[in-house]
Amino acid sequence: MIVSYRTAITIVQFIFFVPSAVYAVWLCFHYGLKAAGTWRFIATLSLLRVAGGISYFVSLSNPGLNVIVSVVVCELSGLAPLMLVCVALVGRVNKTAKVFPGKAAICISLLSLLGLILGVVGTDKALEDAETTDDIHLNSLTRAALALFLAGFTLMLVGYFALVQDVLRHPAKRVVLGTEARILAIVGLAAPFVLVRLLYSALGDFTGAELWSSIGGNNTIYLIMDVLMEIIAITIMFTTVYFAPLQKETPTERIGDAEGGDTNGLTEPRTSSSLTTVELGIESQTALKEGSRKSNEA
């Protein structure tokens, strides 16, 4: 059996994203669902890529418009969690550094989610208007969705560079952040690959050229600018588990606890020394009374 180029690419996605999904889900339960926003988004992206791969394999034996719908929706939906991973990592550092309001990260996340909704609705509408897979044409909704993704990524970069500049200007913040400061380097390494992935979708949506299509376009470009960019970006983001492990307490809370512990430690010695002085005073008074009593008896 001869395996086509596109099938081989899908197999590569399976080899990476199946273990990625399992590992990300395990991290979510290991750290707790509330504290594992980064891993939750990586798990979502990985599961979408696995679902898209399954849909592709189904289309090989049962080609049809409905199966193509699943492939396209899974392909487009992956942009939102990929961006939200970057937003979550930047927001994690900002919780301690407090360079920009926390609501800013929420607004960027909402832009990504809104882009996801518009993209799914626009893709569904484009596929409803098409009679065959060759009649699929992008509409204004899908272009608006990608514009929101690009706007959200731009805002994330603005927040990221503001954080980097602030941390470099204030060495004390680097001390407070500790290993969390490494997240800035990790995001800086992953961001170019995410940008290339977004540019690939932008070229496909805004130019309309089939060369940049993720469904029937050039497979080599799809492999390099789509699949490999996602794999490399997610691999880099996974390194936060080792270089900046998630902790149950924020650095500021740890510092507050440490200061509280030092204060208690200073108070206890003073109390014990005071008690020692009183005890010595009582013993000396007792010794004097016994000495005077013996002299009187003599």
Side-chain angles (χ1 to χ4, degrees), residues 41-64:
F41 296 131
I42 292 179
T44 302
L45 172 62
S46 301
L47 291 172
L48 284 169
R49 292 296 172 254
V50 172
I54 293 172
S55 300
Y56 171 79
F57 285 126
V58 171
S59 69
L60 295 179
S61 56
N62 296 299

Side-chain angles (χ1 to χ4, degrees), residues 9 12-13 17 75 197 221-232:
I9 293 173
V12 170
Q13 285 184 301
F17 284 111
E75 182 69 25
R197 172 65 183 88
I221 294 177
Y222 171 72
L223 172 64
I224 296 174
M225 296 187 68
D226 187 312
V227 177
L228 291 181
M229 293 300 103
E230 290 184 351
I231 290 175
I232 295 171

